[in-house]
Each structure stands twice: as C-alpha cells, then as structure tokens.
Amino acid sequence: TDDGSGFISVTAKGTNFYVGTPNSITSGSAAILKPTQNSTTRRTACVASSGSVQLVQKRGTHWYALTSRATAVGEDVSAETVTHNGTSGTGTAFASQLWIAGGSGPVTLQNQSTKLYLRVRNSGPKMYQTVTTGLTSEGWSLSDAAMTGS
C-alpha cells in the first residue's frame, strides 16, 4: 500500500543531497544525488506484505522503483520501470526493488535481494554523483513521517 511520499537525503558539511533521477529518465537510469527537492527527487513508499518498502517515483505516465541487482559493492543503484497502480498503491515488485528500512533518523535502507545497503560513494557525497550499494550502511534522512511507515 502507498504509505506517503517524501524525500531521501544525506547531509554533509551543512549541504543536503537528495536521492534523485536524471531530468530525462529511462528505465535503468542511475540514481544520483541532487541539490533540491523536486519531482525528480520525490519518492512514494509502498509497503509490501513483508514489511519492506518499494521506493517509487511517477514520471509522466511511468513509475520507476529504486533497484539494486548487482551483488558486488560499488555498483550503481538504478531506477527501473514497474507496474504500479497509484490509486490503490498496488503493483508488482521484485526483491531487488524492495528495501528494508532500519532505525529512525537516520535510517538505513538494505536491499532485500542483495542484502547490500543504499549509500553514497566513498568519495562523496557530491552533487550528481551516482548512488551505490555497500556492505556498510549510510544514515539517510526521510523528510516525511509517512516514508518511515509510521
């Protein structure tokens, strides 16, 4: 079910970096860090029966989910097209598109399939840098209480 929408961000040296997608998106586009909250950085959290969340974004007539298919650390997290019914909050999700949220402020996001964590690159965070996965967690801020499932 849809559990609300909001923004996923990390702060470094007083600067917020939001998980977003390119302005011109296609399925498989890399998730990137962006400087502002806007339609390319807003996510809707859909809670699966397992308790994991699918982090989706509607762009035009398509829905895109944050996805991690690679089992090696350091690979890009992508935005892949998904079937989603925005009215009832139902859709189809693969395990690689589901994230296990842990903690509260900051929050960790672990991919259900790969068991890797959503994180910034060791050289970051930097604007427009791709988002990656790793063995250690990143502390993410969720801007809307609905994104936490509360």
Side-chain angles (χ1 to χ4, degrees):
T1 59
D2 280 352
D3 206 27
S5 66
F7 302 92
I8 303 168
S9 65
V10 65
T11 303
K13 297 180 184 170
T15 302
N16 292 328
F17 300 86
Y18 299 92
V19 176
T21 51
N23 293 340
S24 180
I25 189 172
T26 58
S27 189
S29 292
I32 57 176
L33 296 174
K34 299 187 94 175
T36 57
Q37 295 179 351
N38 59 38
S39 64
T40 68
T41 58
R42 179 173 292 280
R43 300 264 175 260
T44 299
C46 299
V47 181
S49 58
S50 65
S52 298
V53 293
Q54 183 184 37
L55 300 167
V56 297
Q57 175 184 79
K58 186 173 184 184
R59 298 283 295 280
T61 59
H62 295 83
W63 287 89
Y64 297 90
L66 282 184
T67 306
S68 175
R69 295 191 189 280
T71 56
V73 299
E75 298 295 324
D76 288 346
V77 172
S78 62
E80 294 190 11
T81 337
V82 293
T83 302
H84 181 77
N85 178 341
T87 305
S88 66
T90 59
T92 304
F94 298 102
S96 60
Q97 297 169 334
L98 294 173
W99 299 86
I100 302 163
S104 60
V107 172
T108 61
L109 294 166
Q110 184 180 36
N111 187 270
Q112 183 173 303
S113 175
T114 67
K115 305 301 183 211
L116 297 174
Y117 290 93
L118 184 72
R119 58 173 293 114
V120 297
R121 296 194 175 278
N122 291 339
S123 61
K126 298 177 187 173
M127 291 301 171
Y128 305 105
Q129 187 175 45
T130 55
V131 178
T132 188
T133 55
L135 296 173
T136 57
S137 60
E138 188 74 46
W140 297 99
S141 295
L142 304 178
S143 69
D144 189 322
M147 291 280 291
T148 65
S150 56

Short mmCIF file of all heavy atoms in Angstrom, two decimals, residues 74-146:
data_model
loop_
_atom_site.label_atom_id
_atom_site.label_comp_id
_atom_site.label_asym_id
_atom_site.label_seq_id
_atom_site.Cartn_x
_atom_site.Cartn_y
_atom_site.Cartn_z
N GLY A 74 29.59 -1.24 -4.71
CA GLY A 74 30.05 -0.18 -5.59
C GLY A 74 29.31 -0.04 -6.90
O GLY A 74 29.62 0.84 -7.69
N GLU A 75 28.35 -0.91 -7.14
CA GLU A 75 27.58 -0.80 -8.39
C GLU A 75 26.50 0.27 -8.24
O GLU A 75 26.05 0.57 -7.14
CB GLU A 75 26.93 -2.15 -8.72
CG GLU A 75 27.92 -3.26 -8.97
CD GLU A 75 28.79 -3.04 -10.19
OE1 GLU A 75 28.28 -2.50 -11.19
OE2 GLU A 75 29.97 -3.42 -10.13
N ASP A 76 26.08 0.84 -9.37
CA ASP A 76 25.05 1.87 -9.35
C ASP A 76 23.70 1.30 -8.94
O ASP A 76 23.34 0.18 -9.30
CB ASP A 76 24.88 2.50 -10.74
CG ASP A 76 26.03 3.39 -11.14
OD1 ASP A 76 26.85 3.75 -10.26
OD2 ASP A 76 26.11 3.75 -12.33
N VAL A 77 22.94 2.10 -8.20
CA VAL A 77 21.52 1.83 -7.95
C VAL A 77 20.78 2.49 -9.10
O VAL A 77 21.13 3.60 -9.53
CB VAL A 77 21.08 2.42 -6.59
CG1 VAL A 77 19.59 2.33 -6.41
CG2 VAL A 77 21.81 1.71 -5.47
N SER A 78 19.79 1.82 -9.65
CA SER A 78 19.09 2.36 -10.82
C SER A 78 17.62 2.58 -10.53
O SER A 78 17.10 2.17 -9.49
CB SER A 78 19.26 1.41 -12.01
OG SER A 78 18.68 0.15 -11.71
N ALA A 79 16.98 3.24 -11.47
CA ALA A 79 15.53 3.43 -11.43
C ALA A 79 14.96 2.60 -12.57
O ALA A 79 15.28 2.85 -13.73
CB ALA A 79 15.19 4.90 -11.61
N GLU A 80 14.16 1.59 -12.24
CA GLU A 80 13.61 0.71 -13.27
C GLU A 80 12.10 0.80 -13.30
O GLU A 80 11.46 0.95 -12.27
CB GLU A 80 14.06 -0.73 -13.02
CG GLU A 80 15.56 -0.90 -13.19
CD GLU A 80 15.98 -2.35 -13.18
OE1 GLU A 80 15.13 -3.25 -13.26
OE2 GLU A 80 17.19 -2.58 -13.09
N THR A 81 11.55 0.69 -14.49
CA THR A 81 10.09 0.77 -14.65
C THR A 81 9.40 -0.36 -13.92
O THR A 81 9.88 -1.49 -13.92
CB THR A 81 9.70 0.66 -16.14
OG1 THR A 81 10.78 1.03 -16.96
CG2 THR A 81 8.55 1.54 -16.47
N VAL A 82 8.28 -0.02 -13.27
CA VAL A 82 7.49 -1.01 -12.56
C VAL A 82 6.02 -0.81 -12.89
O VAL A 82 5.61 0.27 -13.31
CB VAL A 82 7.67 -0.92 -11.03
CG1 VAL A 82 9.06 -1.31 -10.63
CG2 VAL A 82 7.31 0.44 -10.51
N THR A 83 5.25 -1.87 -12.69
CA THR A 83 3.80 -1.77 -12.79
C THR A 83 3.31 -1.30 -11.44
O THR A 83 3.61 -1.91 -10.42
CB THR A 83 3.19 -3.15 -13.12
OG1 THR A 83 3.77 -3.61 -14.33
CG2 THR A 83 1.69 -3.04 -13.26
N HIS A 84 2.58 -0.20 -11.43
CA HIS A 84 2.13 0.37 -10.16
C HIS A 84 0.78 1.04 -10.37
O HIS A 84 0.59 1.77 -11.33
CB HIS A 84 3.14 1.40 -9.66
CG HIS A 84 2.76 2.02 -8.35
ND1 HIS A 84 2.92 1.38 -7.15
CD2 HIS A 84 2.23 3.22 -8.05
CE1 HIS A 84 2.51 2.16 -6.17
NE2 HIS A 84 2.08 3.29 -6.69
N ASN A 85 -0.14 0.76 -9.48
CA ASN A 85 -1.44 1.40 -9.52
C ASN A 85 -1.43 2.49 -8.46
O ASN A 85 -1.60 2.21 -7.29
CB ASN A 85 -2.56 0.38 -9.25
CG ASN A 85 -3.93 1.01 -9.24
OD1 ASN A 85 -4.05 2.23 -9.08
ND2 ASN A 85 -4.94 0.21 -9.41
N GLY A 86 -1.18 3.73 -8.89
CA GLY A 86 -1.05 4.85 -7.96
C GLY A 86 -2.30 5.12 -7.16
O GLY A 86 -2.25 5.77 -6.12
N THR A 87 -3.43 4.66 -7.60
CA THR A 87 -4.67 4.93 -6.88
C THR A 87 -4.80 4.05 -5.65
O THR A 87 -5.06 4.52 -4.56
CB THR A 87 -5.88 4.69 -7.80
OG1 THR A 87 -5.70 5.49 -8.97
CG2 THR A 87 -7.16 5.07 -7.12
N SER A 88 -4.57 2.75 -5.83
CA SER A 88 -4.73 1.84 -4.69
C SER A 88 -3.40 1.48 -4.04
O SER A 88 -3.38 0.85 -3.01
CB SER A 88 -5.42 0.55 -5.16
OG SER A 88 -4.56 -0.14 -6.05
N GLY A 89 -2.30 1.91 -4.65
CA GLY A 89 -1.00 1.62 -4.07
C GLY A 89 -0.56 0.19 -4.26
O GLY A 89 0.27 -0.30 -3.53
N THR A 90 -1.11 -0.49 -5.25
CA THR A 90 -0.70 -1.86 -5.50
C THR A 90 0.16 -1.91 -6.74
O THR A 90 0.10 -1.03 -7.59
CB THR A 90 -1.92 -2.78 -5.70
OG1 THR A 90 -2.68 -2.28 -6.81
CG2 THR A 90 -2.78 -2.81 -4.46
N GLY A 91 0.96 -2.93 -6.86
CA GLY A 91 1.81 -3.08 -8.03
C GLY A 91 2.64 -4.34 -7.89
O GLY A 91 2.44 -5.15 -7.00
N THR A 92 3.59 -4.48 -8.81
CA THR A 92 4.47 -5.64 -8.82
C THR A 92 5.87 -5.19 -8.45
O THR A 92 6.37 -4.23 -9.00
CB THR A 92 4.48 -6.27 -10.23
OG1 THR A 92 3.14 -6.60 -10.58
CG2 THR A 92 5.34 -7.51 -10.26
N ALA A 93 6.50 -5.89 -7.53
CA ALA A 93 7.87 -5.56 -7.14
C ALA A 93 8.70 -6.83 -7.10
O ALA A 93 8.25 -7.87 -6.66
CB ALA A 93 7.89 -4.89 -5.78
N PHE A 94 9.93 -6.71 -7.58
CA PHE A 94 10.90 -7.79 -7.46
C PHE A 94 11.69 -7.54 -6.18
O PHE A 94 11.76 -6.41 -5.69
CB PHE A 94 11.83 -7.81 -8.66
CG PHE A 94 11.13 -8.06 -9.95
CD1 PHE A 94 10.86 -7.02 -10.83
CD2 PHE A 94 10.70 -9.33 -10.29
CE1 PHE A 94 10.20 -7.24 -12.02
CE2 PHE A 94 10.04 -9.58 -11.49
CZ PHE A 94 9.78 -8.53 -12.34
N ALA A 95 12.30 -8.57 -5.61
CA ALA A 95 13.07 -8.41 -4.38
C ALA A 95 14.16 -7.36 -4.53
O ALA A 95 14.48 -6.64 -3.59
CB ALA A 95 13.67 -9.75 -3.96
N SER A 96 14.71 -7.21 -5.75
CA SER A 96 15.76 -6.21 -5.99
C SER A 96 15.22 -4.78 -5.92
O SER A 96 15.99 -3.83 -5.88
CB SER A 96 16.42 -6.46 -7.34
OG SER A 96 15.46 -6.35 -8.38
N GLN A 97 13.89 -4.64 -5.88
CA GLN A 97 13.26 -3.32 -5.80
C GLN A 97 12.68 -3.06 -4.42
O GLN A 97 12.00 -2.06 -4.22
CB GLN A 97 12.17 -3.21 -6.85
CG GLN A 97 12.70 -3.31 -8.26
CD GLN A 97 11.61 -3.46 -9.30
OE1 GLN A 97 10.53 -3.95 -9.02
NE2 GLN A 97 11.92 -3.04 -10.51
N LEU A 98 12.95 -3.93 -3.47
CA LEU A 98 12.43 -3.77 -2.11
C LEU A 98 13.58 -3.45 -1.16
O LEU A 98 14.67 -4.03 -1.26
CB LEU A 98 11.72 -5.04 -1.66
CG LEU A 98 10.43 -5.38 -2.42
CD1 LEU A 98 9.90 -6.73 -1.99
CD2 LEU A 98 9.38 -4.29 -2.21
N TRP A 99 13.31 -2.55 -0.23
CA TRP A 99 14.31 -2.08 0.72
C TRP A 99 13.80 -2.28 2.14
O TRP A 99 12.64 -1.99 2.42
CB TRP A 99 14.64 -0.61 0.45
CG TRP A 99 15.19 -0.42 -0.92
CD1 TRP A 99 14.47 -0.23 -2.07
CD2 TRP A 99 16.56 -0.46 -1.31
NE1 TRP A 99 15.33 -0.13 -3.15
CE2 TRP A 99 16.61 -0.26 -2.72
CE3 TRP A 99 17.76 -0.63 -0.60
CZ2 TRP A 99 17.80 -0.24 -3.41
CZ3 TRP A 99 18.95 -0.60 -1.31
CH2 TRP A 99 18.97 -0.40 -2.70
N ILE A 100 14.66 -2.74 3.01
CA ILE A 100 14.33 -2.94 4.42
C ILE A 100 14.83 -1.71 5.17
O ILE A 100 16.04 -1.42 5.18
CB ILE A 100 15.00 -4.21 4.97
CG1 ILE A 100 14.57 -5.43 4.15
CG2 ILE A 100 14.70 -4.39 6.45
CD1 ILE A 100 15.46 -6.65 4.31
N ALA A 101 13.90 -0.96 5.74
CA ALA A 101 14.26 0.26 6.47
C ALA A 101 14.59 -0.11 7.91
O ALA A 101 13.88 -0.88 8.54
CB ALA A 101 13.12 1.26 6.41
N GLY A 102 15.67 0.44 8.42
CA GLY A 102 16.07 0.17 9.79
C GLY A 102 16.39 1.45 10.53
O GLY A 102 16.89 2.41 9.96
N GLY A 103 16.08 1.48 11.80
CA GLY A 103 16.38 2.65 12.62
C GLY A 103 15.38 3.77 12.40
O GLY A 103 14.38 3.62 11.71
N SER A 104 15.68 4.90 13.02
CA SER A 104 14.84 6.08 12.82
C SER A 104 15.71 7.31 13.01
O SER A 104 16.31 7.50 14.06
CB SER A 104 13.67 6.09 13.80
OG SER A 104 14.13 6.10 15.13
N GLY A 105 15.81 8.09 11.97
CA GLY A 105 16.56 9.34 11.98
C GLY A 105 17.96 9.27 12.55
O GLY A 105 18.13 9.57 13.70
N PRO A 106 18.98 8.82 11.86
CA PRO A 106 18.96 8.44 10.45
C PRO A 106 18.49 6.99 10.24
O PRO A 106 18.49 6.20 11.16
CB PRO A 106 20.42 8.57 10.02
CG PRO A 106 21.21 8.38 11.26
CD PRO A 106 20.35 8.89 12.40
N VAL A 107 18.11 6.72 9.00
CA VAL A 107 17.55 5.43 8.63
C VAL A 107 18.53 4.71 7.70
O VAL A 107 19.21 5.34 6.89
CB VAL A 107 16.20 5.64 7.90
CG1 VAL A 107 15.67 4.36 7.31
CG2 VAL A 107 15.18 6.24 8.85
N THR A 108 18.60 3.38 7.83
CA THR A 108 19.37 2.59 6.87
C THR A 108 18.39 1.93 5.91
O THR A 108 17.25 1.64 6.28
CB THR A 108 20.20 1.49 7.57
OG1 THR A 108 19.32 0.62 8.27
CG2 THR A 108 21.20 2.10 8.54
N LEU A 109 18.82 1.72 4.69
CA LEU A 109 18.00 1.05 3.67
C LEU A 109 18.81 -0.09 3.09
O LEU A 109 19.81 0.13 2.41
CB LEU A 109 17.58 2.05 2.58
CG LEU A 109 16.65 3.17 3.06
CD1 LEU A 109 16.56 4.28 2.02
CD2 LEU A 109 15.27 2.60 3.35
N GLN A 110 18.38 -1.33 3.38
CA GLN A 110 19.08 -2.53 2.92
C GLN A 110 18.24 -3.21 1.85
O GLN A 110 17.05 -3.44 2.03
CB GLN A 110 19.31 -3.48 4.09
CG GLN A 110 20.12 -4.71 3.72
CD GLN A 110 20.32 -5.63 4.91
OE1 GLN A 110 19.44 -5.77 5.75
NE2 GLN A 110 21.48 -6.28 4.96
N ASN A 111 18.89 -3.54 0.72
CA ASN A 111 18.16 -4.19 -0.36
C ASN A 111 17.77 -5.61 0.05
O ASN A 111 18.59 -6.37 0.56
CB ASN A 111 19.01 -4.21 -1.63
CG ASN A 111 18.25 -4.72 -2.82
OD1 ASN A 111 18.24 -5.91 -3.09
ND2 ASN A 111 17.59 -3.80 -3.52
N GLN A 112 16.52 -5.96 -0.17
CA GLN A 112 16.01 -7.27 0.25
C GLN A 112 16.69 -8.40 -0.50
O GLN A 112 16.93 -9.47 0.05
CB GLN A 112 14.50 -7.33 0.03
CG GLN A 112 13.88 -8.64 0.51
CD GLN A 112 12.38 -8.61 0.44
OE1 GLN A 112 11.74 -7.77 1.03
NE2 GLN A 112 11.80 -9.55 -0.30
N SER A 113 17.02 -8.18 -1.77
CA SER A 113 17.61 -9.24 -2.59
C SER A 113 19.12 -9.37 -2.36
O SER A 113 19.62 -10.46 -2.08
CB SER A 113 17.34 -8.97 -4.07
OG SER A 113 18.00 -9.91 -4.88
N THR A 114 19.85 -8.27 -2.48
CA THR A 114 21.32 -8.33 -2.43
C THR A 114 21.88 -8.24 -1.01
O THR A 114 23.03 -8.56 -0.79
CB THR A 114 21.93 -7.18 -3.25
OG1 THR A 114 21.61 -5.94 -2.60
CG2 THR A 114 21.43 -7.18 -4.68
N LYS A 115 21.05 -7.77 -0.06
CA LYS A 115 21.45 -7.54 1.33
C LYS A 115 22.48 -6.41 1.46
O LYS A 115 23.05 -6.19 2.53
CB LYS A 115 22.00 -8.81 2.00
CG LYS A 115 21.03 -9.98 1.95
CD LYS A 115 19.73 -9.66 2.62
CE LYS A 115 18.81 -10.87 2.62
NZ LYS A 115 17.41 -10.54 2.56
N LEU A 116 22.72 -5.67 0.37
CA LEU A 116 23.62 -4.52 0.41
C LEU A 116 22.83 -3.27 0.80
O LEU A 116 21.62 -3.21 0.60
CB LEU A 116 24.30 -4.32 -0.95
CG LEU A 116 25.20 -5.46 -1.41
CD1 LEU A 116 25.69 -5.22 -2.83
CD2 LEU A 116 26.37 -5.65 -0.45
N TYR A 117 23.53 -2.28 1.34
CA TYR A 117 22.89 -1.05 1.81
C TYR A 117 22.98 0.07 0.77
O TYR A 117 23.99 0.19 0.08
CB TYR A 117 23.57 -0.56 3.09
CG TYR A 117 23.32 -1.44 4.28
CD1 TYR A 117 24.19 -2.46 4.60
CD2 TYR A 117 22.21 -1.23 5.08
CE1 TYR A 117 23.96 -3.27 5.71
CE2 TYR A 117 21.97 -2.04 6.19
CZ TYR A 117 22.85 -3.05 6.49
OH TYR A 117 22.62 -3.85 7.58
N LEU A 118 21.92 0.87 0.71
CA LEU A 118 21.93 2.09 -0.11
C LEU A 118 22.91 3.05 0.54
O LEU A 118 22.84 3.29 1.75
CB LEU A 118 20.53 2.69 -0.15
CG LEU A 118 20.33 3.92 -1.03
CD1 LEU A 118 20.39 3.51 -2.50
CD2 LEU A 118 19.01 4.59 -0.72
N ARG A 119 23.83 3.60 -0.25
CA ARG A 119 24.83 4.51 0.33
C ARG A 119 25.43 5.44 -0.72
O ARG A 119 25.25 5.22 -1.92
CB ARG A 119 25.93 3.73 1.05
CG ARG A 119 26.68 2.74 0.23
CD ARG A 119 27.87 2.14 0.98
NE ARG A 119 28.88 3.14 1.19
CZ ARG A 119 29.24 3.61 2.40
NH1 ARG A 119 28.69 3.15 3.49
NH2 ARG A 119 30.17 4.53 2.52
N VAL A 120 26.15 6.44 -0.25
CA VAL A 120 26.88 7.31 -1.16
C VAL A 120 28.26 6.69 -1.38
O VAL A 120 28.71 5.84 -0.61
CB VAL A 120 27.02 8.75 -0.60
CG1 VAL A 120 25.66 9.39 -0.45
CG2 VAL A 120 27.77 8.78 0.69
N ARG A 121 28.90 7.11 -2.43
CA ARG A 121 30.24 6.60 -2.73
C ARG A 121 31.24 7.11 -1.69
O ARG A 121 31.04 8.16 -1.08
CB ARG A 121 30.66 7.03 -4.13
CG ARG A 121 29.75 6.40 -5.16
CD ARG A 121 30.30 6.50 -6.58
NE ARG A 121 29.41 5.76 -7.45
CZ ARG A 121 29.43 4.45 -7.62
NH1 ARG A 121 30.31 3.71 -6.98
NH2 ARG A 121 28.57 3.85 -8.42
N ASN A 122 32.33 6.37 -1.48
CA ASN A 122 33.34 6.76 -0.50
C ASN A 122 33.92 8.13 -0.82
O ASN A 122 34.36 8.84 0.09
CB ASN A 122 34.46 5.72 -0.43
CG ASN A 122 33.99 4.42 0.18
OD1 ASN A 122 32.98 4.38 0.88
ND2 ASN A 122 34.69 3.34 -0.10
N SER A 123 33.93 8.54 -2.08
CA SER A 123 34.48 9.84 -2.48
C SER A 123 33.46 10.97 -2.33
O SER A 123 33.75 12.12 -2.63
CB SER A 123 34.94 9.79 -3.95
OG SER A 123 33.82 9.48 -4.78
N GLY A 124 32.26 10.65 -1.86
CA GLY A 124 31.20 11.65 -1.78
C GLY A 124 30.81 11.98 -0.35
O GLY A 124 31.53 11.63 0.58
N PRO A 125 29.67 12.59 -0.20
CA PRO A 125 28.71 12.87 -1.28
C PRO A 125 29.10 14.10 -2.10
O PRO A 125 29.71 15.03 -1.59
CB PRO A 125 27.41 13.12 -0.53
CG PRO A 125 27.81 13.62 0.81
CD PRO A 125 29.13 12.97 1.11
N LYS A 126 28.74 14.05 -3.40
CA LYS A 126 28.95 15.15 -4.33
C LYS A 126 27.69 15.27 -5.18
O LYS A 126 27.04 14.26 -5.47
CB LYS A 126 30.14 14.87 -5.25
CG LYS A 126 31.47 14.73 -4.57
CD LYS A 126 32.54 14.39 -5.57
CE LYS A 126 33.85 14.09 -4.85
NZ LYS A 126 34.87 13.58 -5.78
N MET A 127 27.38 16.48 -5.57
CA MET A 127 26.21 16.70 -6.42
C MET A 127 26.34 15.90 -7.72
O MET A 127 27.41 15.85 -8.31
CB MET A 127 26.04 18.18 -6.77
CG MET A 127 25.65 19.03 -5.59
SD MET A 127 24.10 18.48 -4.87
CE MET A 127 24.08 19.47 -3.41
N TYR A 128 25.26 15.27 -8.09
CA TYR A 128 25.11 14.49 -9.33
C TYR A 128 25.94 13.21 -9.35
O TYR A 128 26.06 12.56 -10.37
CB TYR A 128 25.34 15.36 -10.57
CG TYR A 128 24.43 16.57 -10.54
CD1 TYR A 128 24.93 17.83 -10.21
CD2 TYR A 128 23.07 16.43 -10.76
CE1 TYR A 128 24.08 18.93 -10.13
CE2 TYR A 128 22.21 17.52 -10.67
CZ TYR A 128 22.72 18.76 -10.36
OH TYR A 128 21.89 19.84 -10.26
N GLN A 129 26.51 12.84 -8.21
CA GLN A 129 27.23 11.57 -8.10
C GLN A 129 26.22 10.44 -8.05
O GLN A 129 25.13 10.58 -7.48
CB GLN A 129 28.05 11.60 -6.82
CG GLN A 129 29.00 10.44 -6.62
CD GLN A 129 29.85 10.64 -5.37
OE1 GLN A 129 29.33 11.02 -4.32
NE2 GLN A 129 31.14 10.38 -5.50
N THR A 130 26.57 9.30 -8.67
CA THR A 130 25.65 8.17 -8.64
C THR A 130 25.58 7.58 -7.23
O THR A 130 26.54 7.63 -6.47
CB THR A 130 26.07 7.06 -9.64
OG1 THR A 130 27.43 6.69 -9.37
CG2 THR A 130 25.94 7.54 -11.07
N VAL A 131 24.40 7.03 -6.91
CA VAL A 131 24.17 6.37 -5.62
C VAL A 131 24.56 4.91 -5.80
O VAL A 131 24.35 4.31 -6.86
CB VAL A 131 22.69 6.52 -5.21
CG1 VAL A 131 22.40 5.80 -3.91
CG2 VAL A 131 22.32 8.00 -5.11
N THR A 132 25.11 4.32 -4.76
CA THR A 132 25.64 2.96 -4.86
C THR A 132 25.14 2.08 -3.72
O THR A 132 24.29 2.50 -2.94
CB THR A 132 27.20 3.01 -4.87
OG1 THR A 132 27.71 1.72 -5.17
CG2 THR A 132 27.75 3.49 -3.55
N THR A 133 25.66 0.88 -3.65
CA THR A 133 25.38 -0.02 -2.53
C THR A 133 26.69 -0.46 -1.91
O THR A 133 27.73 -0.43 -2.55
CB THR A 133 24.59 -1.27 -2.97
OG1 THR A 133 25.31 -1.91 -4.02
CG2 THR A 133 23.19 -0.90 -3.43
N GLY A 134 26.63 -0.86 -0.64
CA GLY A 134 27.83 -1.31 0.05
C GLY A 134 27.50 -2.21 1.22
O GLY A 134 26.34 -2.42 1.56
N LEU A 135 28.55 -2.71 1.86
CA LEU A 135 28.39 -3.60 3.00
C LEU A 135 28.06 -2.84 4.27
O LEU A 135 27.56 -3.41 5.24
CB LEU A 135 29.67 -4.42 3.21
CG LEU A 135 30.04 -5.38 2.08
CD1 LEU A 135 31.40 -6.00 2.34
CD2 LEU A 135 28.97 -6.44 1.91
N THR A 136 28.38 -1.55 4.30
CA THR A 136 28.07 -0.72 5.47
C THR A 136 26.95 0.25 5.12
O THR A 136 26.78 0.63 3.96
CB THR A 136 29.31 0.06 5.94
OG1 THR A 136 29.79 0.86 4.86
CG2 THR A 136 30.40 -0.90 6.41
N SER A 137 26.22 0.63 6.13
CA SER A 137 25.04 1.46 5.90
C SER A 137 25.38 2.94 5.89
O SER A 137 26.39 3.37 6.44
CB SER A 137 23.99 1.18 6.97
OG SER A 137 24.54 1.47 8.23
N GLU A 138 24.51 3.69 5.24
CA GLU A 138 24.56 5.15 5.24
C GLU A 138 23.42 5.63 6.11
O GLU A 138 22.39 4.98 6.20
CB GLU A 138 24.34 5.65 3.80
CG GLU A 138 24.55 7.13 3.61
CD GLU A 138 26.02 7.49 3.65
OE1 GLU A 138 26.83 6.81 3.00
OE2 GLU A 138 26.35 8.47 4.34
N GLY A 139 23.57 6.76 6.76
CA GLY A 139 22.49 7.33 7.55
C GLY A 139 21.67 8.28 6.69
O GLY A 139 22.11 9.38 6.38
N TRP A 140 20.49 7.83 6.27
CA TRP A 140 19.62 8.63 5.40
C TRP A 140 18.55 9.33 6.24
O TRP A 140 18.04 8.77 7.20
CB TRP A 140 18.93 7.75 4.36
CG TRP A 140 19.89 7.10 3.42
CD1 TRP A 140 20.35 5.82 3.50
CD2 TRP A 140 20.51 7.69 2.28
NE1 TRP A 140 21.23 5.58 2.47
CE2 TRP A 140 21.35 6.71 1.71
CE3 TRP A 140 20.45 8.95 1.69
CZ2 TRP A 140 22.11 6.94 0.58
CZ3 TRP A 140 21.21 9.19 0.56
CH2 TRP A 140 22.03 8.20 0.01
N SER A 141 18.20 10.53 5.83
CA SER A 141 17.08 11.25 6.44
C SER A 141 15.88 11.09 5.53
O SER A 141 16.00 11.17 4.31
CB SER A 141 17.42 12.73 6.58
OG SER A 141 18.48 12.91 7.47
N LEU A 142 14.73 10.85 6.13
CA LEU A 142 13.48 10.76 5.38
C LEU A 142 12.66 11.98 5.76
O LEU A 142 12.34 12.17 6.92
CB LEU A 142 12.75 9.47 5.72
CG LEU A 142 13.56 8.18 5.51
CD1 LEU A 142 12.75 6.97 5.92
CD2 LEU A 142 14.03 8.05 4.07
N SER A 143 12.31 12.80 4.77
CA SER A 143 11.72 14.11 5.07
C SER A 143 10.27 14.06 5.48
O SER A 143 9.72 15.04 5.92
CB SER A 143 11.87 15.03 3.87
OG SER A 143 11.04 14.57 2.82
N ASP A 144 9.60 12.94 5.32
CA ASP A 144 8.18 12.86 5.62
C ASP A 144 7.94 11.63 6.49
O ASP A 144 8.41 10.54 6.18
CB ASP A 144 7.40 12.72 4.31
CG ASP A 144 5.91 12.84 4.48
OD1 ASP A 144 5.38 12.34 5.48
OD2 ASP A 144 5.28 13.41 3.59
N ALA A 145 7.23 11.80 7.58
CA ALA A 145 6.96 10.69 8.51
C ALA A 145 6.31 9.52 7.80
O ALA A 145 6.52 8.38 8.17
CB ALA A 145 6.09 11.16 9.66
N ALA A 146 5.53 9.81 6.75
CA ALA A 146 4.87 8.74 6.02
C ALA A 146 5.88 7.80 5.36
O ALA A 146 5.61 6.62 5.19
CB ALA A 146 3.94 9.31 4.97
#
